[in-house]
Amino acid sequence: MDLVVRVAGAAGQGVQSLGEILARAVFRCGYFVHGEFSYHSRIRGGENAVTVRIRDRPVFATSEQADVLVALNQEMLELYRPWLQEKGYLVADERLISSGEKALTLPAEEWARKELKQPLAAGVVLLGAAARLLGISLESVKNAVAEVFGEKAEPNLQAAEMGYARSDTKPFMGGLPCFGRGETMFLTGGQAVGAGAIAAGCRFLASYPMTPGTPVLEFLAQNAQAYGIVVEQAEDEIAAINMALGASYAGARSMVTTSGGGFALMVEGLSLAGMIETPVVIHIGQRPGPATGLPTRTSQENLLFALHAGHGEFPRYLAAPATAEDAFYLTMKAFELAEKYHVPGILLTDQFLVDSFVVVPALDPGKVAVQNHWLSPEELEKMERYERFALTESGVSPRALPGLSKHLVLVDSDEHDFYGRITEDLGIRKVMVEKRLRKEQGLAKELEAPWTYPQGSLRGRTVLLGWGSTFGAIREAVEILNEKEDGYAHVHLRELSPLPTEALERVWNQAKEVIAIEGNATGQLGKLISADTGLRPHRLIARYDGRPFTSSGIVQEVSR
Amino acid sequence: MDLVVRVAGAAGQGVQSLGEILARAVFRCGYFVHGEFSYHSRIRGGENAVTVRIRDRPVFATSEQADVLVALNQEMLELYRPWLQEKGYLVADERLISSGEKALTLPAEEWARKELKQPLAAGVVLLGAAARLLGISLESVKNAVAEVFGEKAEPNLQAAEMGYARSDTKPFMGGLPCFGRGETMFLTGGQAVGAGAIAAGCRFLASYPMTPGTPVLEFLAQNAQAYGIVVEQAEDEIAAINMALGASYAGARSMVTTSGGGFALMVEGLSLAGMIETPVVIHIGQRPGPATGLPTRTSQENLLFALHAGHGEFPRYLAAPATAEDAFYLTMKAFELAEKYHVPGILLTDQFLVDSFVVVPALDPGKVAVQNHWLSPEELEKMERYERFALTESGVSPRALPGLSKHLVLVDSDEHDFYGRITEDLGIRKVMVEKRLRKEQGLAKELEAPWTYPQGSLRGRTVLLGWGSTFGAIREAVEILNEKEDGYAHVHLRELSPLPTEALERVWNQAKEVIAIEGNATGQLGKLISADTGLRPHRLIARYDGRPFTSSGIVQEVSR
Amino acid sequence: MNREAYLTDGVEIAWCPGCGNFAIRQALARALGILELPPERVVLVTGIGQAAKIAHYVNVNGFNGLHGRTVAAAAGIKMVRPDLVVIAESGDGDLYGEGGNHLIHNIRRNVDITVIAHDNRVYGLTKGQASPTAAVGYKTRAQPFGVISRPLHPLALAIALDAAFVAQSFSGEVERTAELIAEGVRHRGFSLINVLHPCPSWNRVQTFAWYKERVYSVEKEGHDPRDQAAALKLALAEGDRIPTGILYRREGPSFEDLHPVVSRTSVALSPLPQPADLRPLLARFQ
Amino acid sequence: MNREAYLTDGVEIAWCPGCGNFAIRQALARALGILELPPERVVLVTGIGQAAKIAHYVNVNGFNGLHGRTVAAAAGIKMVRPDLVVIAESGDGDLYGEGGNHLIHNIRRNVDITVIAHDNRVYGLTKGQASPTAAVGYKTRAQPFGVISRPLHPLALAIALDAAFVAQSFSGEVERTAELIAEGVRHRGFSLINVLHPCPSWNRVQTFAWYKERVYSVEKEGHDPRDQAAALKLALAEGDRIPTGILYRREGPSFEDLHPVVSRTSVALSPLPQPADLRPLLARFQ
Ligand SMILES: Cc1ncc(C[n+]2csc(CCOP(=O)(O)OP(=O)(O)O)c2C)c(N)n1
Ligand SMILES: Cc1ncc(C[n+]2csc(CCOP(=O)(O)OP(=O)(O)O)c2C)c(N)n1
Ligand code: SF4
Ligand code: SF4
Ligand SMILES: [Mg+2]
Ligand SMILES: [Mg+2]
């Protein structure tokens, strides 16, 4: 089963809420769902659309084609009609559609205006009708309306009922039976990052609003009181990362969230984190650049930038979650590794992952061990002398927090000696460079294997190689391709620094061909792999128009 | 001939001036010279040394060993004595040296204090004595004192004479005959970058002081009035690059100068330059990082950072000059290419190149054609409509300046249409990405071949591959190695973006082995080449303690 | 020229219905008309935000740069092209938050540019977070328990830094806003005009009516804008009255007047050097 | 504790002989002694510059961060560890140039930190370029025809922004500087102490003698530091007299007092969450 419903309208018409209601209602029925938002960078007007896919198994990709299009105005109707399946249904106000179409029409605007005294509720009326068409129970829809609108549920509850009751249609697919759902959760990638941060004990977040980094800021702000987190909107991104490093030095697990442009301003601070070996987690929600670019669209253009950002050389952990579920666990892992190795942990997501709703297996924070990586006051008390940058085999020096013992804690952005004092001794310099870089070896051992599908050898197969949020689209594409001819495989990277070079060498050794699939124009993953291994993908499928990949798009390109 | 003189003292003892006097005196005699400064990041005290190499042919590298050591205090005497050649001479105040040493001693401090009433002149007394030892004419020394000290030449002229006359020694090397010097010039790399900028018509520089970027700021400031340049010290580096981009939009050839840490703050502006296709030249004087690192030392740690800096994808020109002469011409070229292709031009130098004095063939600005790359008012007047981002095959759109015709000029950091208007049309987006990236093809055609020595095929040879200011040390090393066994070659990259991939493929095809020599710990050039070609150096010789490479150091490593 | 000549047509405006930005756009066009400036002589420099989109809605040269860097880019343009009229216009988040440092230091430089701040006390484009001028207690999704930082008083800041021209207006008064902008452009040196405007989409506290009730004209109350102490007092006054008009102005040379190079020429337009021009420079190395 | 306990020994001091920084170091140590603060309870946050090296010369915890980011890092520390005493100390270039934006906005936040500015009116470490407080006409290698921007008046700026505590002192008066620092640390909320000091290596105009002749004590002249208008007047006064002492102070809650989380706890020290603690959070996704 794979049903696609698209709701499209202007900004301000509540498209986002309608999408969420629909997705939630479906989730409540026990299905898996993926809700993808496509919107213009403005507050009112413009083009907003949400594409809701309903499946009986997990779904992490969107679709160009839709089975049902709920159009809230003429412009959207025309824009999206070409993407409606031949057998698909159009749902719209009766004033928009000329007779003779395969459409479900209602005088929704009139009812909303006259009966509900709330013109904006017209969308909910149409949604009610669409729900009936899909065979979703009215109860699920009303529950979802209540969840999404909260106090403002009335007159939207009425509107949903109105659309449902008065549209006299048969369910499109013979009805969607509700069944007991298993242990699943419904959330966006942005919420997953936020929840992962809280689960990992994040205590401080400073950030400056920037799409699509903001949802993480807002999620943490809303949970700040309950979980004892200091969330501060900084005056700029430079302040954000320096505040975060200050807070981290003082003992708080710290985070910043931004997009590529804001990260550009944090680069000096990133380098500081490398030098003072102070953990910080940096969430970068990618969007198309350069510069302001397309603020509300998606991309994978910041990989090489994030990996090489910062003057001087120091290790970093970088993860690009594949799904919202993955985002939760990798965020926890980024915090843990940042704390354990005293390195920056970078989370590279994108607008598509951050904004899309999905259904995932229930998140279990117990899966990632969260523990303190600093010396207890008791341990410190026992020490004669404490040196923050003491030389160790692993490169990781025992960490103390200031003010917990008699020992003082000194960190310095200049090259420093083991205690932390500024030094110009070029012998110590050499040792310190090596100490810092040595941490990469430990980090490399923490990596999981790249995700591979189908399991087993890749011999003779064409490998579709991806990273980050393209996971769902690539996986589906491989499934579709293998239906015709079982010669494809999917290898997906979720941890990119350190790079799992051995695993990649195996891929190249076995595979017939490697096709990189990336949301950028230059093939950044390919370059990264080649830089470290000399191995180069044989082909690149690139998308850089700001929209997410879909399985059909990939299948088409692969089959060229 | 290869004579090395080292002058060492505390900051504030005038080591820098002494070094310059010596180097100038030698230059005036018709020799080639290289003066390298090594100093601590402070204003007084600490360790300062200048190493002056005197040769009868061009010299672009420093040396660990010295033939003469002029020590201004006990600490420096002890620090540098181990590096004095067995047959070398020590020159110092008589109070510093216990009898029985192979040394030239004078009561310089006493004379300076009592006779000259200027304790600081003691160094000049010693320098006079050293000059005699070297066989440099007193006249050359006095001329150099006058040039360096200007109005403050007295009592230093007297001091030089005193040291010269009263030290009763035979010249060390049988005397340095003065001969008519050819067409040569004496300058630092920093001055060369500054002069190249002025020669290329730089009209605006905004920067924030940062070692070793500052000399370029100061050079331009001092020539601002004569050459009609606006030089402004910005409140921070972010202001600097945004001011420069504003100025460039308005028609002024614009530049910023900084080091890695300041560049980190300019990364967002770099991305803006990419998006609004507005030229700007960025000089980065590298020093060891991360963060503040070693402010007065040298490194080559910013290559991958500079190449991947900025969110989003756009082409850039990046050159790393090999010598001061090269710095002059590559700076001119960076301006020209930035103007011609509307891309950022990055100049990657380092403390070693910026601060070292050298003698080079007379600079000839006529060698690089400097011309306007914008539409004249007449051409504009003829146009019906003007579009700043008009689509072209080369990716370069004809550029107009605001206020020179009726046509308006609009640039935008958002994705934009051909006119410059903000757009969210994803079709235009795709076209614009491709247009911007297409400029890389034109840029690639502007590259010169990497410098290769000896000329001819590399077949059977071990290639020492370097980039930037390590040129002199590598070249010397190859010369030394080939004396024993003619199996080595030197390939040097001075232009690194776009990367000359074909030339590199030829190197790998022919060479027996490729050894990368880099001033960083991770082998950044190697990674860069591998990223673009899959070819990897077989070995890496890395130096990352903040000191420049020397030929003897390289020879030793290669021969391991 | 009349106001319409400065308004772009055929471009879809991305502002919300009922927003004060529309009135500011009208006021700007009107001011340019008052000044009779040919569109090609004007450069409008903006940053990023809803306000900053004005570069696309007004018919002059435009530099729509980065968020927060508006004033820096504008200063760069003016320094090399004193022949152009340079207006920097953006939101309160852009000018006072991200761009605070450039504001302070260009006031010190006293570059002859005119800064128009669209002050809606929120970050409009990023969905309503508190801006530096937001009032204490103001609640948003990012400040769920209300703002606790004290608001920035941009006028007090500028006056204390001795900016050349400091004014405030309310978007509801289009003609007066236009006159203040025109006066700011005419005034030599750095001019700041803080334009208060409602944001019906996010700011439910400072509405049109809210401002309407509170604004008053300092001229009508006999304020002498040459009096810095009096100006500061007005700017810092707490309570329910909001001053509009010219709070402070001082005469004196601008950056352009004092700069030995800028005072002489528009360097951007001077011809490129010929090799012979460089002889004196290079001779020093010989 | 006595002053010596706070002075590191065995560390070579990289300041120039005769520099005012030595006296400020003494004053800081003396202030910590007056306050009887155990060294481990204090964090000294500095940036980059000659002044900023003080983190290595005083015996407390130290965060020697980036140039210009001193106040930001200090605020971050204080927000998660209100149990610590946080002092941010750096040069005028660092705090007023590169770091201007953080200064403004942390004054607004009113975080309870004490900022000590070493104001030598030059960029010392980078060899003498003009700093934001340099006087008009001051010549350097980067400003060969003299500074033309007007100097920043840090006191006026801070007072206009209603900072909680604003003072100035002269490094030549060690005891008084110590008292002012101690008072700034005691005062709840954001404190700024601008310490004027000679830089014998670069600044040949504002010498020890120059200051000595010009400084006067505002207390002695009966200034009431609660009077914002009077404070501004003193701060802005032109001429040959330089005010020292507490120019402005106001009482009122600090960031820590008003913040619902910070007022309750030092979040950095609260135990890490257990899986069970997260149930309410995750339940919302079910
Ligand atoms: C460096 C950077 N940080 C953040 C953003 C995201 N951003 C875009 S507009 C904006 C705020 C706009 O607020 P304001 O300047 O007040 O303008 P308004 O939308 O309210 O008119 C922000 C934070 C950005 N574009 N660049
Ligand atoms: C981002 C950045 N820009 C520039 C520098 C170079 N820099 C180091 S110290 C300094 C100025 C120091 O001046 P000030 O803060 O007044 O301290 P002082 O040396 O005078 O005590 C500068 C510009 C830097 N370290 N980082
Ligand atoms: S968000 Fe507010 S300020 Fe921006 S256009 Fe909409 S109403 Fe106006
Ligand atoms: S440079 Fe100036 S301020 Fe810095 S230590 Fe030396 S004398 Fe003091
Ligand atoms: Mg705003
Ligand atoms: Mg200073």
Side-chain angles (χ1 to χ4, degrees), chain C residues 96-101 104-105 107-110 131-134 145 147-153 156-157 159-162 228-229 232-233 236 238 250 253-256 258-261, chain D residues 96-101 104-105 107-110 131-134 145 147-153 156-157 159-162 228-229 232-233 236 238 250 253-256 258-261:
Chain C
Y96 304 143
E98 185 88 45
N101 212 29
I104 302 177
H105 290 282
I107 291 179
R108 286 182 50 224
R109 285 193 185 99
N110 200 24
S131 87
T133 53
F145 38 81
V147 169
I148 63 172
S149 290
R150 300 152 72 95
L152 186 85
H153 290 302
L157 178 82
I159 298 165
L161 292 170
D162 211 19
Q228 193 179 13
L232 270 169
K233 208 167 160 186
L236 285 170
E238 304 271 326
R250 65 170 180 81
S254 71
F255 180 91
E256 296 77 9
L258 296 168
H259 195 285
V261 176
Chain D
Y96 304 143
E98 186 87 46
N101 212 30
I104 303 176
H105 289 282
I107 290 179
R108 287 181 48 224
R109 284 193 186 100
N110 200 24
S131 86
T133 53
F145 37 82
V147 169
I148 63 172
S149 290
R150 300 151 73 93
L152 187 84
H153 291 301
L157 178 84
I159 299 166
L161 292 170
D162 211 19
Q228 192 179 14
L232 269 168
K233 209 167 159 187
L236 285 170
E238 305 270 327
R250 64 170 180 82
S254 71
F255 181 91
E256 296 76 9
L258 295 168
H259 195 286
V261 176

